Amino acid sequence: MSFSVAVAGASGYAGGELLRLLADHPDFDVRTVTAHANAGQPLVDHQPHLRSLRHLVLEATTPEVLAGHDVVFLALPHGKSGEVTASLPPETLVVDCGADHRLVDEADWDAFYGGDYFGAWAYGVPELQTSTGRGRDALVGAKRIAAPGCNASTVALSLAPGIAAGVIEPLDLVSVLAVGPSGAGKSLKVNLLASEVLGTANPYAVGGTHRHIPEITQSLRAAGTDRASISFTPVIVPMSRGILATSTARIVQGATAAAVREAWETAYADEPFVQVLPEGSFPRTADVLGANTALIGLAVDETVGRVVVVTAVDNLVKGTAGAAIQSANIALGLPETTGLSVNGVAP
Amino acid sequence: MSFSVAVAGASGYAGGELLRLLADHPDFDVRTVTAHANAGQPLVDHQPHLRSLRHLVLEATTPEVLAGHDVVFLALPHGKSGEVTASLPPETLVVDCGADHRLVDEADWDAFYGGDYFGAWAYGVPELQTSTGRGRDALVGAKRIAAPGCNASTVALSLAPGIAAGVIEPLDLVSVLAVGPSGAGKSLKVNLLASEVLGTANPYAVGGTHRHIPEITQSLRAAGTDRASISFTPVIVPMSRGILATSTARIVQGATAAAVREAWETAYADEPFVQVLPEGSFPRTADVLGANTALIGLAVDETVGRVVVVTAVDNLVKGTAGAAIQSANIALGLPETTGLSVNGVAP
Amino acid sequence: MSFSVAVAGASGYAGGELLRLLADHPDFDVRTVTAHANAGQPLVDHQPHLRSLRHLVLEATTPEVLAGHDVVFLALPHGKSGEVTASLPPETLVVDCGADHRLVDEADWDAFYGGDYFGAWAYGVPELQTSTGRGRDALVGAKRIAAPGCNASTVALSLAPGIAAGVIEPLDLVSVLAVGPSGAGKSLKVNLLASEVLGTANPYAVGGTHRHIPEITQSLRAAGTDRASISFTPVIVPMSRGILATSTARIVQGATAAAVREAWETAYADEPFVQVLPEGSFPRTADVLGANTALIGLAVDETVGRVVVVTAVDNLVKGTAGAAIQSANIALGLPETTGLSVNGVAP
Amino acid sequence: MSFSVAVAGASGYAGGELLRLLADHPDFDVRTVTAHANAGQPLVDHQPHLRSLRHLVLEATTPEVLAGHDVVFLALPHGKSGEVTASLPPETLVVDCGADHRLVDEADWDAFYGGDYFGAWAYGVPELQTSTGRGRDALVGAKRIAAPGCNASTVALSLAPGIAAGVIEPLDLVSVLAVGPSGAGKSLKVNLLASEVLGTANPYAVGGTHRHIPEITQSLRAAGTDRASISFTPVIVPMSRGILATSTARIVQGATAAAVREAWETAYADEPFVQVLPEGSFPRTADVLGANTALIGLAVDETVGRVVVVTAVDNLVKGTAGAAIQSANIALGLPETTGLSVNGVAP
């Protein structure tokens, strides 16, 4: 079976990664790629690594161009997806990699993004625990999917098992992330220049202002608490891709170290793309580069009463494009792992 | 005035950085450099960047070779300094960059290092607040100085002001560090190979096992609490030098955001080498590369009730060799800033 | 159809890359992985990114362990393959990623390697032009294949078309390569430490001493000249993988710029894995990261009478493991491109 | 003695490096810093590493603001310096780090830059051999100095000794450079984004189009030939600073290997900032990071009849700002090495 596919925002990093994965996916046929300022140019001028797609030319991102495909993936700046999606036919599967359809609470949208609120769609983190099951339940047969924020899904996957199992406190969570600059997109900003990133570590959005915070707490509430609060600090480090999230939570009174570890191991025991490493092992982002895998290592620090959860994700794959395709696989009834590798490209 | 100087462990990274700084210091005259396996070889074979010292040859690290200098800097593996220092004359100023003389509590030494315990010396972090004043008080006229652990002093400087001022809780501290591999020394280990570090973030000593933890809590207790506990996780990232420590602490009930900021600004108002950035500014490690500066940015996250303190340090300078020289300046009665730059080499 | 496969030297970088590619190859079934010092340990302890192979345990590299597979890939230090291969059954397809079976002239072996000479096998660069056709001709049905040296094949592919077409002079060639440290293997050497590679460019084997030089001139002679000489300088730069070879050659009297370009375009017009970029475009190593593609850009500098050929290759894929698998595909009668992607992982 | 100094273009990379060096220079007093779009803002907002200059505010780049200083350093885009300098008083020492006053031949200017031609000034490479002496001869007492292009001076210093001594042929030179992105300035271009530079090598200006080519051949002609031609290819690699130039030249018939080496050793025997390494040693860019040193290693490849000269330079120091200050020292009669370190910051 082959589904026709369009990718909007194809000249950016998320768009490029969607295309890299789609190009080798056996059930998807990329017919159309679109862009904004770069429309009219060959795709390969902007994605020179996509050698198998060098016949494609970027078209304009309009409803007319996007209509008529079985699946449309959107990799647009926030605020843009909402405008486009309203005019796509209801029978088209639309997967939005932007932020426009992630937040269920309009107040969160207003506080962290602002502008028109477009409403929440099925959230594209299949493994995420919810009070009624898993994230994938809402994806089966879905026609509208919001792929997650890369930082947000990494942290949510890191902490949800402990909350769902009741072994960690949902308040006073702390998460510090080492992130590659590709997560910020192909944006012409001084702080994203190579000379500003090479050889240095650079924090941003310090002190509770990052837009992924409400998305994290929303996921943690879904996992089974009525309140969740997290101190969240991302640090740009000199690797093009990757997120290494170090998250800590206070262990609830009486939970043993074994019970804590078991919460994570049980939660992800049957998941192909979220894997808990054995005691004493911790992941590196290189281990998941190019892969749709989230690798989790955890340690209980009994001296301080906290569990430390270290999770490695490729921000462009499991954090964005891989999550989008995994979710689309589920929505279309394909095997969930189709076209997605668990193996990283290392060293 | 010119003091004769010997540097032991001159073929390693800390030794090399001591020599780089000493070479341009107006009051120090490097006469002798020693090594272990590399004794007999030209210094420049191991430190090809030290062009002004290319006349020096590495000698053996023995008491006889080191004796007869006004100042001896030691950059040796832990356990080695203690052996050497016992046989150096009492009138020689000895500055140890290793761990052997940092911990005041032998139980801490036994738990995190083991082997012979050599006793604590004056601790080389002049700016550190203590219940009776500053770290520099103990350095004036000292003949034995323990330069700090790079991670330990970075975190201690980050959190001590809040503890001294009583605006943060000393328990449930969390610190996550992005660190360069040079902090681990010139060691032939697989995880320090370039192919293992480039393009990736790699956590280590997760869960409370890092040897700098007792050194941190010792400094925090000295700042004015009888208990301190910290979750501490270092992450190696692909920059040769630098520490970016993101530390968070719960704000005590009733402390305002202004009071929190004031604690740090007051603590370091007169310090040349520890500078607090204005609200909204946060440091990068590049800003302090090669400099003896610790740059601190902080934000109060009122939603979660925590202060986030981000501190950038060059692990080899303010974290090690610069701290050693700054402390020696104090001990010898030289102006504290002699031979040390506050300006980083960026980009 | 499924062929059983063993990989010897599975804990190193070349072995790891063979396994990464084999794991997703539809016709190969990895049954056995072997190592030397690491025998007895789980593969994943040494290749933590190979999540789909985490059931495998490293066995000892012995003829007994390797026998009984349809295909054996060897990723051993030079001198070791020759010892092992003599005892493997003739009907087994053996692909050696080491140097032992590459050089046809024993004098070259003696001059650049030394020790026992094991004789040359079919050379695993299918696209390489020869006086009688292509490198792949010798691979069809072969039972013994020597995968190429990564630098050697990159330079040979860069220059062979000009020599075969008679548009460049085979003498006075110059090639300077920016290479990642993974090409040197997982070796515990000081110059391969991260602190020695990050933020710096480091030349080695300057002045005609690199072991890949005779392999290059051998390939260029095969392409149609009786003499070839090249100044060859590799420079390690801070990227884990990749080769960017900048090669220049004097254009023969009378050859037009158009004729020069046509030599390369014609040579590789039908090759899936060697692609010549349009005029004015030049490749980056990121464009081929993880891919089996060699990307070539060229420019005629009429002022100096030289053509400049810039070629990007992933040293571990098209330079080693991908070339090995592509060659095995040919030898076994599988479609040549099976299991190999042309698309790089970027950014 | 203290000279008052203004730096124009102070928010860019070259301007920042001028200020870093000037801040620790005992005879210069930075009074004024100017910028274009950033005028009115604190310097430290754009140069957060210059902690000792955080009292300075960027002013507009006008003749009025710049006038009245003893020395004016210009770090402006090409075409801009020429406009400014015409209105500065003749008694002011003006050092231009841009290209406007480097080329002696207006035809070169027209071919590689275009626009108004402003005429050549004394060229700021003191060590460069000329038919009548050294580059420094023209700098003594000069009031107008053109600091060199970083790539151009690196290659000129690499090859001039061989040409001056008559041991290499001036035609058919080949130079390939690994360069850091800071050489391209703080420009908002896609190819300078961190995600485009990390983990990759990227050639540009391939085939004889780079603007430093006429500057190189001009210097080589000055060293003693009436014709010089060079194939020149720069490759951006993931290090913020540094140039590693690998240059090769055909050895003239009859010149021995010893005579070749002697040409370089003799040329730079008395130079503090240009050092020739012993046989078998080659430089890394890390060895000169932050230093005003050019380190040169050379090997004679007798098989191919070429000498290979590898030179490491910090593009922002010896390549630009250090050369400017060294030249200013000479012009003002200060010791040439004042305020400039020979030691690199490594690792």
Side-chain angles (χ1 to χ4, degrees), chain B residues 13 181-182 186-190 192-198 237-240, chain C residues 13 181-182 186-190 192-198 237-240:
Chain B
Y13 293 146
S182 64
K186 203 186 275 189
S187 310
L188 293 177
K189 296 177 183 166
V190 169
L192 296 177
L193 287 176
S195 300
E196 307 289 320
V197 171
L198 284 159
V237 301
M239 57 189 190
S240 59
Chain C
Y13 293 147
S182 64
K186 202 187 279 188
S187 309
L188 293 177
K189 297 177 183 166
V190 168
L192 297 178
L193 288 176
S195 299
E196 306 288 320
V197 172
L198 285 159
V237 300
M239 56 189 189
S240 60

mmCIF file of all heavy atoms in Angstrom, chain B residues 13 181-182 186-190 192-198 237-240, chain C residues 13 181-182 186-190 192-198 237-240:
data_model
loop_
_atom_site.group_PDB
_atom_site.id
_atom_site.type_symbol
_atom_site.label_atom_id
_atom_site.label_comp_id
_atom_site.label_asym_id
_atom_site.label_seq_id
_atom_site.Cartn_x
_atom_site.Cartn_y
_atom_site.Cartn_z
ATOM 1 N N TYR B 13 47.145 18.401 31.473
ATOM 2 C CA TYR B 13 46.369 19.589 31.113
ATOM 3 C C TYR B 13 46.430 20.660 32.195
ATOM 4 O O TYR B 13 46.586 21.848 31.894
ATOM 5 C CB TYR B 13 44.918 19.218 30.819
ATOM 6 C CG TYR B 13 44.764 18.373 29.575
ATOM 7 C CD1 TYR B 13 43.778 17.397 29.484
ATOM 8 C CD2 TYR B 13 45.593 18.558 28.471
ATOM 9 C CE1 TYR B 13 43.631 16.627 28.338
ATOM 10 C CE2 TYR B 13 45.456 17.786 27.330
ATOM 11 C CZ TYR B 13 44.476 16.825 27.263
ATOM 12 O OH TYR B 13 44.327 16.072 26.130
ATOM 13 N N PRO B 181 35.832 17.807 28.167
ATOM 14 C CA PRO B 181 36.598 16.615 28.568
ATOM 15 C C PRO B 181 37.960 16.913 29.186
ATOM 16 O O PRO B 181 38.530 16.038 29.823
ATOM 17 C CB PRO B 181 36.749 15.838 27.265
ATOM 18 C CG PRO B 181 36.612 16.850 26.190
ATOM 19 C CD PRO B 181 35.667 17.891 26.721
ATOM 20 N N SER B 182 38.492 18.125 29.032
ATOM 21 C CA SER B 182 39.823 18.389 29.602
ATOM 22 C C SER B 182 39.806 18.280 31.122
ATOM 23 O O SER B 182 40.847 18.052 31.733
ATOM 24 C CB SER B 182 40.346 19.757 29.166
ATOM 25 O OG SER B 182 39.533 20.790 29.665
ATOM 26 N N LYS B 186 44.502 14.238 30.766
ATOM 27 C CA LYS B 186 45.023 13.628 29.536
ATOM 28 C C LYS B 186 45.100 12.111 29.722
ATOM 29 O O LYS B 186 46.173 11.518 29.717
ATOM 30 C CB LYS B 186 46.411 14.220 29.255
ATOM 31 C CG LYS B 186 46.863 14.158 27.816
ATOM 32 C CD LYS B 186 48.296 14.636 27.659
ATOM 33 C CE LYS B 186 48.412 16.140 27.512
ATOM 34 N NZ LYS B 186 49.803 16.562 27.145
ATOM 35 N N SER B 187 43.937 11.498 29.914
ATOM 36 C CA SER B 187 43.871 10.074 30.254
ATOM 37 C C SER B 187 43.450 9.257 29.044
ATOM 38 O O SER B 187 42.503 9.620 28.350
ATOM 39 C CB SER B 187 42.842 9.832 31.366
ATOM 40 O OG SER B 187 43.027 10.703 32.441
ATOM 41 N N LEU B 188 44.108 8.140 28.838
ATOM 42 C CA LEU B 188 43.797 7.280 27.708
ATOM 43 C C LEU B 188 42.641 6.348 28.069
ATOM 44 O O LEU B 188 42.825 5.197 28.432
ATOM 45 C CB LEU B 188 45.040 6.491 27.301
ATOM 46 C CG LEU B 188 46.172 7.350 26.725
ATOM 47 C CD1 LEU B 188 47.397 6.505 26.417
ATOM 48 C CD2 LEU B 188 45.709 8.080 25.466
ATOM 49 N N LYS B 189 41.436 6.903 27.962
ATOM 50 C CA LYS B 189 40.222 6.125 28.225
ATOM 51 C C LYS B 189 39.312 6.221 27.010
ATOM 52 O O LYS B 189 39.230 7.266 26.363
ATOM 53 C CB LYS B 189 39.497 6.682 29.449
ATOM 54 C CG LYS B 189 40.304 6.565 30.732
ATOM 55 C CD LYS B 189 39.551 7.212 31.883
ATOM 56 C CE LYS B 189 40.384 7.162 33.165
ATOM 57 N NZ LYS B 189 39.843 8.046 34.207
ATOM 58 N N VAL B 190 38.605 5.135 26.719
ATOM 59 C CA VAL B 190 37.751 5.109 25.534
ATOM 60 C C VAL B 190 36.740 6.252 25.546
ATOM 61 O O VAL B 190 36.518 6.915 24.530
ATOM 62 C CB VAL B 190 37.028 3.751 25.400
ATOM 63 C CG1 VAL B 190 35.931 3.815 24.338
ATOM 64 C CG2 VAL B 190 38.035 2.660 25.030
ATOM 65 N N LEU B 192 36.931 9.113 26.552
ATOM 66 C CA LEU B 192 37.529 10.433 26.307
ATOM 67 C C LEU B 192 38.070 10.567 24.886
ATOM 68 O O LEU B 192 38.611 11.614 24.526
ATOM 69 C CB LEU B 192 38.647 10.706 27.317
ATOM 70 C CG LEU B 192 38.201 10.788 28.778
ATOM 71 C CD1 LEU B 192 39.400 11.000 29.693
ATOM 72 C CD2 LEU B 192 37.177 11.913 28.987
ATOM 73 N N LEU B 193 37.931 9.526 24.071
ATOM 74 C CA LEU B 193 38.375 9.639 22.674
ATOM 75 C C LEU B 193 37.505 10.637 21.926
ATOM 76 O O LEU B 193 36.300 10.764 22.182
ATOM 77 C CB LEU B 193 38.278 8.275 21.981
ATOM 78 C CG LEU B 193 39.333 7.246 22.387
ATOM 79 C CD1 LEU B 193 39.050 5.912 21.699
ATOM 80 C CD2 LEU B 193 40.738 7.738 22.009
ATOM 81 N N ALA B 194 38.116 11.310 20.978
ATOM 82 C CA ALA B 194 37.391 12.321 20.215
ATOM 83 C C ALA B 194 36.139 11.754 19.559
ATOM 84 O O ALA B 194 35.077 12.383 19.576
ATOM 85 C CB ALA B 194 38.312 12.927 19.148
ATOM 86 N N SER B 195 36.245 10.561 18.999
ATOM 87 C CA SER B 195 35.082 9.992 18.319
ATOM 88 C C SER B 195 33.931 9.731 19.277
ATOM 89 O O SER B 195 32.776 9.635 18.858
ATOM 90 C CB SER B 195 35.465 8.689 17.610
ATOM 91 O OG SER B 195 36.468 8.935 16.646
ATOM 92 N N GLU B 196 34.230 9.594 20.556
ATOM 93 C CA GLU B 196 33.193 9.349 21.557
ATOM 94 C C GLU B 196 32.615 10.640 22.122
ATOM 95 O O GLU B 196 31.601 10.611 22.822
ATOM 96 C CB GLU B 196 33.777 8.521 22.716
ATOM 97 C CG GLU B 196 34.474 7.247 22.297
ATOM 98 C CD GLU B 196 33.499 6.182 21.811
ATOM 99 O OE1 GLU B 196 32.430 6.039 22.418
ATOM 100 O OE2 GLU B 196 33.803 5.512 20.809
ATOM 101 N N VAL B 197 33.283 11.748 21.881
ATOM 102 C CA VAL B 197 32.861 13.021 22.489
ATOM 103 C C VAL B 197 32.250 13.956 21.441
ATOM 104 O O VAL B 197 31.290 14.687 21.719
ATOM 105 C CB VAL B 197 34.060 13.698 23.188
ATOM 106 C CG1 VAL B 197 33.717 15.112 23.643
ATOM 107 C CG2 VAL B 197 34.522 12.856 24.384
ATOM 108 N N LEU B 198 32.789 13.926 20.229
ATOM 109 C CA LEU B 198 32.288 14.816 19.179
ATOM 110 C C LEU B 198 30.821 14.515 18.884
ATOM 111 O O LEU B 198 30.420 13.352 18.754
ATOM 112 C CB LEU B 198 33.112 14.626 17.910
ATOM 113 C CG LEU B 198 34.498 15.272 17.940
ATOM 114 C CD1 LEU B 198 35.410 14.622 16.922
ATOM 115 C CD2 LEU B 198 34.398 16.765 17.670
ATOM 116 N N VAL B 237 30.274 17.427 27.211
ATOM 117 C CA VAL B 237 29.803 17.935 25.914
ATOM 118 C C VAL B 237 31.019 18.310 25.061
ATOM 119 O O VAL B 237 32.132 18.456 25.574
ATOM 120 C CB VAL B 237 28.844 19.136 26.089
ATOM 121 C CG1 VAL B 237 27.627 18.746 26.929
ATOM 122 C CG2 VAL B 237 29.552 20.326 26.694
ATOM 123 N N PRO B 238 30.810 18.467 23.746
ATOM 124 C CA PRO B 238 31.965 18.598 22.836
ATOM 125 C C PRO B 238 32.601 19.990 22.792
ATOM 126 O O PRO B 238 32.551 20.679 21.791
ATOM 127 C CB PRO B 238 31.381 18.221 21.466
ATOM 128 C CG PRO B 238 29.980 17.787 21.687
ATOM 129 C CD PRO B 238 29.561 18.332 22.998
ATOM 130 N N MET B 239 33.183 20.377 23.903
ATOM 131 C CA MET B 239 34.010 21.586 23.946
ATOM 132 C C MET B 239 35.207 21.193 24.788
ATOM 133 O O MET B 239 35.069 20.473 25.767
ATOM 134 C CB MET B 239 33.216 22.750 24.556
ATOM 135 C CG MET B 239 32.675 22.482 25.944
ATOM 136 S SD MET B 239 31.533 23.786 26.475
ATOM 137 C CE MET B 239 31.325 23.350 28.229
ATOM 138 N N SER B 240 36.402 21.630 24.395
ATOM 139 C CA SER B 240 37.560 21.104 25.117
ATOM 140 C C SER B 240 37.587 21.573 26.560
ATOM 141 O O SER B 240 37.952 20.834 27.457
ATOM 142 C CB SER B 240 38.852 21.473 24.389
ATOM 143 O OG SER B 240 38.979 22.858 24.272
ATOM 144 N N TYR C 13 35.180 0.673 15.434
ATOM 145 C CA TYR C 13 34.314 1.583 14.688
ATOM 146 C C TYR C 13 33.880 1.002 13.344
ATOM 147 O O TYR C 13 32.723 1.125 12.957
ATOM 148 C CB TYR C 13 35.009 2.927 14.477
ATOM 149 C CG TYR C 13 35.229 3.703 15.761
ATOM 150 C CD1 TYR C 13 36.344 4.525 15.930
ATOM 151 C CD2 TYR C 13 34.315 3.630 16.815
ATOM 152 C CE1 TYR C 13 36.544 5.239 17.106
ATOM 153 C CE2 TYR C 13 34.508 4.331 17.987
ATOM 154 C CZ TYR C 13 35.621 5.142 18.135
ATOM 155 O OH TYR C 13 35.816 5.850 19.301
ATOM 156 N N PRO C 181 38.290 11.820 13.178
ATOM 157 C CA PRO C 181 39.171 10.886 13.896
ATOM 158 C C PRO C 181 38.696 9.436 13.892
ATOM 159 O O PRO C 181 39.499 8.547 14.200
ATOM 160 C CB PRO C 181 39.200 11.454 15.324
ATOM 161 C CG PRO C 181 37.937 12.239 15.444
ATOM 162 C CD PRO C 181 37.664 12.793 14.078
ATOM 163 N N SER C 182 37.444 9.162 13.545
ATOM 164 C CA SER C 182 37.005 7.766 13.576
ATOM 165 C C SER C 182 37.756 6.916 12.561
ATOM 166 O O SER C 182 37.835 5.696 12.710
ATOM 167 C CB SER C 182 35.494 7.664 13.339
ATOM 168 O OG SER C 182 35.151 8.115 12.056
ATOM 169 N N LYS C 186 39.260 2.966 17.112
ATOM 170 C CA LYS C 186 39.045 3.187 18.550
ATOM 171 C C LYS C 186 40.343 2.906 19.290
ATOM 172 O O LYS C 186 40.450 1.972 20.079
ATOM 173 C CB LYS C 186 37.918 2.257 19.020
ATOM 174 C CG LYS C 186 37.214 2.679 20.289
ATOM 175 C CD LYS C 186 36.230 1.640 20.773
ATOM 176 C CE LYS C 186 34.893 1.704 20.041
ATOM 177 N NZ LYS C 186 33.882 0.802 20.673
ATOM 178 N N SER C 187 41.360 3.732 18.993
ATOM 179 C CA SER C 187 42.708 3.507 19.525
ATOM 180 C C SER C 187 43.002 4.478 20.653
ATOM 181 O O SER C 187 42.748 5.675 20.531
ATOM 182 C CB SER C 187 43.757 3.726 18.424
ATOM 183 O OG SER C 187 43.435 3.002 17.267
ATOM 184 N N LEU C 188 43.593 3.976 21.706
ATOM 185 C CA LEU C 188 43.927 4.813 22.861
ATOM 186 C C LEU C 188 45.261 5.514 22.619
ATOM 187 O O LEU C 188 46.305 5.092 23.102
ATOM 188 C CB LEU C 188 43.967 3.956 24.127
ATOM 189 C CG LEU C 188 42.598 3.401 24.551
ATOM 190 C CD1 LEU C 188 42.732 2.514 25.770
ATOM 191 C CD2 LEU C 188 41.614 4.535 24.819
ATOM 192 N N LYS C 189 45.199 6.601 21.840
ATOM 193 C CA LYS C 189 46.384 7.412 21.573
ATOM 194 C C LYS C 189 46.094 8.850 21.979
ATOM 195 O O LYS C 189 44.974 9.339 21.817
ATOM 196 C CB LYS C 189 46.720 7.369 20.078
ATOM 197 C CG LYS C 189 47.088 5.972 19.594
ATOM 198 C CD LYS C 189 47.328 5.985 18.088
ATOM 199 C CE LYS C 189 47.625 4.570 17.580
ATOM 200 N NZ LYS C 189 47.544 4.493 16.112
ATOM 201 N N VAL C 190 47.123 9.526 22.477
ATOM 202 C CA VAL C 190 46.922 10.892 22.968
ATOM 203 C C VAL C 190 46.349 11.797 21.884
ATOM 204 O O VAL C 190 45.431 12.579 22.130
ATOM 205 C CB VAL C 190 48.245 11.476 23.520
ATOM 206 C CG1 VAL C 190 48.113 12.977 23.766
ATOM 207 C CG2 VAL C 190 48.625 10.777 24.817
ATOM 208 N N LEU C 192 44.355 11.260 19.664
ATOM 209 C CA LEU C 192 42.950 10.992 19.363
ATOM 210 C C LEU C 192 42.022 11.345 20.516
ATOM 211 O O LEU C 192 40.804 11.159 20.420
ATOM 212 C CB LEU C 192 42.766 9.517 18.978
ATOM 213 C CG LEU C 192 43.502 9.071 17.714
ATOM 214 C CD1 LEU C 192 43.273 7.589 17.470
ATOM 215 C CD2 LEU C 192 43.042 9.870 16.484
ATOM 216 N N LEU C 193 42.580 11.841 21.615
ATOM 217 C CA LEU C 193 41.733 12.275 22.725
ATOM 218 C C LEU C 193 40.886 13.475 22.314
ATOM 219 O O LEU C 193 41.328 14.325 21.542
ATOM 220 C CB LEU C 193 42.588 12.652 23.936
ATOM 221 C CG LEU C 193 43.242 11.491 24.690
ATOM 222 C CD1 LEU C 193 44.133 12.035 25.804
ATOM 223 C CD2 LEU C 193 42.182 10.558 25.266
ATOM 224 N N ALA C 194 39.711 13.544 22.875
ATOM 225 C CA ALA C 194 38.800 14.635 22.531
ATOM 226 C C ALA C 194 39.429 16.001 22.770
ATOM 227 O O ALA C 194 39.294 16.916 21.951
ATOM 228 C CB ALA C 194 37.512 14.500 23.339
ATOM 229 N N SER C 195 40.141 16.153 23.882
ATOM 230 C CA SER C 195 40.720 17.462 24.183
ATOM 231 C C SER C 195 41.776 17.862 23.157
ATOM 232 O O SER C 195 42.083 19.039 23.002
ATOM 233 C CB SER C 195 41.356 17.452 25.586
ATOM 234 O OG SER C 195 40.368 17.175 26.567
ATOM 235 N N GLU C 196 42.331 16.885 22.458
ATOM 236 C CA GLU C 196 43.351 17.160 21.439
ATOM 237 C C GLU C 196 42.730 17.415 20.063
ATOM 238 O O GLU C 196 43.413 17.867 19.144
ATOM 239 C CB GLU C 196 44.319 15.977 21.339
ATOM 240 C CG GLU C 196 44.947 15.560 22.658
ATOM 241 C CD GLU C 196 45.971 16.572 23.151
ATOM 242 O OE1 GLU C 196 46.732 17.094 22.326
ATOM 243 O OE2 GLU C 196 46.000 16.846 24.372
ATOM 244 N N VAL C 197 41.478 17.064 19.901
ATOM 245 C CA VAL C 197 40.833 17.159 18.580
ATOM 246 C C VAL C 197 39.820 18.303 18.527
ATOM 247 O O VAL C 197 39.677 18.982 17.508
ATOM 248 C CB VAL C 197 40.153 15.812 18.222
ATOM 249 C CG1 VAL C 197 39.314 15.936 16.956
ATOM 250 C CG2 VAL C 197 41.206 14.708 18.056
ATOM 251 N N LEU C 198 39.136 18.533 19.643
ATOM 252 C CA LEU C 198 38.131 19.596 19.663
ATOM 253 C C LEU C 198 38.777 20.950 19.398
ATOM 254 O O LEU C 198 39.815 21.286 19.973
ATOM 255 C CB LEU C 198 37.429 19.619 21.021
ATOM 256 C CG LEU C 198 36.410 18.497 21.239
ATOM 257 C CD1 LEU C 198 36.166 18.280 22.720
ATOM 258 C CD2 LEU C 198 35.101 18.832 20.539
ATOM 259 N N VAL C 237 40.189 16.915 11.665
ATOM 260 C CA VAL C 237 39.377 18.059 12.080
ATOM 261 C C VAL C 237 38.265 17.559 12.998
ATOM 262 O O VAL C 237 37.971 16.361 13.026
ATOM 263 C CB VAL C 237 38.802 18.827 10.865
ATOM 264 C CG1 VAL C 237 39.934 19.351 9.981
ATOM 265 C CG2 VAL C 237 37.838 17.972 10.074
ATOM 266 N N PRO C 238 37.634 18.489 13.744
ATOM 267 C CA PRO C 238 36.733 18.056 14.814
ATOM 268 C C PRO C 238 35.342 17.641 14.346
ATOM 269 O O PRO C 238 34.345 18.286 14.641
ATOM 270 C CB PRO C 238 36.640 19.285 15.731
ATOM 271 C CG PRO C 238 37.600 20.289 15.209
ATOM 272 C CD PRO C 238 37.877 19.940 13.798
ATOM 273 N N MET C 239 35.275 16.556 13.595
ATOM 274 C CA MET C 239 33.992 15.936 13.250
ATOM 275 C C MET C 239 34.247 14.444 13.391
ATOM 276 O O MET C 239 35.313 13.960 13.042
ATOM 277 C CB MET C 239 33.580 16.318 11.825
ATOM 278 C CG MET C 239 34.602 15.971 10.755
ATOM 279 S SD MET C 239 34.158 16.686 9.136
ATOM 280 C CE MET C 239 35.391 15.853 8.074
ATOM 281 N N SER C 240 33.308 13.719 13.957
ATOM 282 C CA SER C 240 33.620 12.322 14.247
ATOM 283 C C SER C 240 33.841 11.515 12.972
ATOM 284 O O SER C 240 34.727 10.680 12.914
ATOM 285 C CB SER C 240 32.519 11.697 15.106
ATOM 286 O OG SER C 240 31.284 11.745 14.454
#
